[in-house]
Amino acid sequence: MIERLAPAKINLALAVVGRRPDGFHELVSVFMRVGLADRLSVEADTVPGEGDHLVVTGASGRIDGLDLVLHAAGLLRAHVGRPLPALRFSLQKRIPVGGGLGGGSSDAAAALDLAAGAWGLALGDEERLDLAARLGSDVPFFAARAAAALIEGRGERIRPLPPPHGAPAVLLVTSEQGLSTTEAFRALDASGVDFATSGTAAAYGLAAAIDAGLDAQAFAGWAGRLRDANDLWAPALRLRPELGARRDALEHALERPVLLSGSGPTLLALYPSLEAAEVGRDRLAGLRDQRGLRITPTPVGDAREDREAR
Ligand code: C5P
């Protein structure tokens, strides 16, 4: 059996700069990997077969996107074009589903690597990224195995960035009810936005600052500039009106700006250390209306998550 962690990501600035003819949107965003991760393992049958199988633990209800694991295996099988043993995947979910944390995309990138490992295939970088892009917009980031990156295009143009120095962290606040990315983009289009976005400057500015060497304290200090740099905030708020009051309550309790990750509904606060994020979590103990919320302090840009299939 081989196994690997599939980490979540956060978006620090998410500018939607245009709509493409194929219906997808042009983005400028800084993605950062965090410590919170799913765990995916695979075993190959001994004889060729096509009935790949997935068992999921740790998530309930209807789980959109989890078929991406099987889709990744099927895509690689078709790409190779010869009979290969059937695969049995086991996925332990920790990343909230539909949370704006890229869990399904990360699982898909991990599945590509695990399937290649189980079948003894050596994939070139370009080949892996190309397959990843066909699985979903966020999958190339995870397939690139970067701790952080400036993302452009639909998600396929990736400029890796070093993680911030030190050991910064985030406090993630996610509701059990996920939010569909497709719906969030649809709501953005319906609002008639002209894509003149302030998030672009924040994304490029943060990427430049990280390149120049950003320490954990300075990283946390970016929260004010990043707070309103996610263009999916307005559509997310339209779809989940409770996000407004929740963000207000979190900012009041945490005494710091709170950002939206991806299309939400995950909200997050930046901290210079995991200990500081844990203090933040403790401050939320008295928050009214925290039923149904998952509150998770986790390290940012954690390079230790970057593991080849073992
Ligand atoms: O690529 P992925 O399947 O993850 O995208 C989910 C949905 O998000 C797409 O169906 C599309 O509606 C929207 N999307 C977009 N532009 C992007 C990424 C995603 O419109 N760059």
Side-chain angles (χ1 to χ4, degrees):
M1 186 183 76
I2 49 176
E3 178 177 280
R4 70 177 281 165
L5 291 174
K9 59 84 181 157
I10 52 170
N11 296 86
L12 300 167
L14 174 52
V16 184
V17 296
R19 188 163 191 273
R20 309 175 355 158
D22 64 3
F24 282 89
H25 295 77
E26 290 287 322
L27 310 178
V28 182
S29 182
V30 172
F31 281 39
M32 245 181 229
R33 206 168 49 187
V34 298
L36 176 67
D38 293 340
R39 187 177 288 274
L40 184 67
S41 65
V42 73
E43 267 180 292
D45 282 351
T46 44
V47 289
E50 298 217 344
D52 299 328
H53 188 67
L54 169 68
V55 175
V56 182
T57 51
S60 57
R62 181 159 174 269
I63 305 171
D64 284 333
L66 284 191
D67 50 349
L68 271 185
V69 168
L70 294 178
H71 190 179
L75 185 68
L76 184 56
R77 187 190 295 280
H79 176 71
V80 171
R82 62 181 158 83
L84 291 163
L87 299 178
R88 271 169 286 129
F89 287 100
S90 173
L91 176 62
Q92 202 182 334
K93 281 303 287 179
R94 293 215 183 88
I95 306 170
V97 175
L101 295 168
S105 304
S106 187
D107 296 341
L112 263 187
D113 282 352
L114 285 180
W119 288 330
L121 307 171
L123 290 182
D125 281 350
E126 213 170 295
E127 201 179 10
R128 214 177 65 251
L129 287 177
D130 181 58
L131 291 168
R134 288 159 62 186
L135 288 167
S137 307
D138 289 349
V139 185
F141 167 71
F142 294 107
R145 299 171 182 158
L150 177 71
I151 301 293
E152 292 177 284
R154 190 190 133 192
E156 76 287 4
R157 294 211 315 271
I158 298 160
R159 185 160 75 73
L161 298 166
H165 298 303
V170 286
L171 186 62
L172 304 174
V173 180
T174 303
S175 52
E176 268 159 22
Q177 191 191 10
L179 205 168
S180 145
T181 306
T182 308
E183 271 186 54
F185 276 104
R186 206 174 282 152
L188 180 76
D189 289 338
S191 70
V193 286
D194 61 0
F195 299 116
T197 162
S198 63
T200 317
Y204 288 132
L206 177 63
I210 294 172
D211 258 341
L214 197 63
D215 68 22
Q217 197 74 44
F219 166 76
W222 265 81
R225 273 187 74 184
L226 298 174
R227 180 187 186 272
D228 298 317
N230 185 336
D231 289 337
L232 294 178
W233 169 254
L237 188 61
R238 208 161 304 130
L239 295 165
R240 293 275 185 285
E242 68 274 16
L243 279 175
R246 184 179 303 154
R247 175 154 87 166
D248 289 347
L250 290 173
E251 290 187 326
H252 184 73
L254 300 174
E255 296 179 339
R256 59 187 60 223
V258 166
L259 290 53
L260 181 76
S261 183
S263 55
T266 297
L267 295 169
L268 61 95
L270 309 185
Y271 288 90
S273 68
L274 185 58
E275 292 70 28
E278 286 167 348
V279 172
R281 176 198 51 202
D282 296 344
R283 280 182 172 221
L284 299 185
L287 198 70
R288 278 195 315 133
D289 185 32
Q290 66 154 311
R291 265 186 324 151
L293 294 185
R294 273 183 59 184
I295 300 171
T296 313
T298 185
V300 158
D302 188 354
R304 285 171 303 168
E305 306 286 0
D306 190 6
R307 290 283 178 267
E308 292 294 322
R310 280 176 271 155

